[in-house]
Amino acid sequence: QVQLVESGGGLVQPGRSLRLSCAASGITFRIYDWAWYRQAPGKQRDLVALITSGGSTSYADSVKGRFTISRDNAKNTLTLQTNNLKPEDTAIYYCNAHFSTINYWGQGTQVTVSS
C-alpha cells in the first residue's frame, strides 16, 4: 500500500534551519506532483510549496526565498529545506502526492520555532 513518511521536524530557534523529508513507498513517485502543506493549531491546512512531475516549483508568498522544495525520483524522496525559520512557521508539515483525482497524505511532522 502507499506510505508517505515525513521526518526532520523538531524544535528550533528563530533564524535556524530544518530539512524535512518525505519517504514514499508503494507509489509511482515520478508521475505525481508533490507538495508540502502545513497546519498551525486552529488554522486550516495551507499549501507551502509545490513541485510538479516536470520539476516546476511554486511557493507560498510567506516562504519565498527561505524554503526550497526538491524531489529525487530515483530515491522516492521529497525534501523541503527550510531556512531562516520564524515563529509563524510553527505548524505540522505534511507531504502530499497528487495525480489526477488521487491524493495521498503523510502523517505529518511537527516544526516548532521558538526562542
Side-chain angles (χ1 to χ4, degrees):
Q1 73 275 22
V2 176
Q3 283 193 313
L4 306 183
V5 180
E6 299 97 335
S7 62
L11 171 63
V12 295
Q13 295 180 330
R16 303 300 292 266
S17 299
L18 282 174
R19 187 174 181 87
L20 307 184
S21 294
C22 174
S25 59
I27 192 171
T28 308
F29 186 94
R30 60 179 173 78
I31 69 172
Y32 282 77
D33 294 338
W34 288 86
W36 288 96
Y37 285 75
R38 67 186 181 188
Q39 187 167 20
K43 296 190 176 182
Q44 66 183 22
R45 190 175 296 189
D46 291 326
L47 177 65
V48 174
L50 168 73
I51 184 165
T52 68
S53 57
S56 298
T57 59
S58 59
Y59 298 90
D61 287 343
S62 59
V63 307
K64 280 181 183 176
R66 300 188 298 122
F67 291 10
T68 302
I69 188 171
S70 60
R71 60 190 293 165
D72 186 332
N73 291 339
K75 295 183 178 179
N76 285 7
T77 301
L78 177 73
T79 299
L80 185 69
Q81 178 66 42
T82 66
N83 297 329
N84 189 21
L85 284 161
K86 303 176 180 181
E88 52 263 41
D89 295 319
T90 295
I92 299 175
Y93 284 70
Y94 299 89
C95 67
N96 168 264
H98 174 73
F99 178 76
S100 185
T101 58
I102 301 170
N103 264 295
Y104 295 114
W105 293 90
Q107 84 290 345
T109 186
Q110 176 71 49
V111 172
T112 302
V113 185
S114 175
S115 55

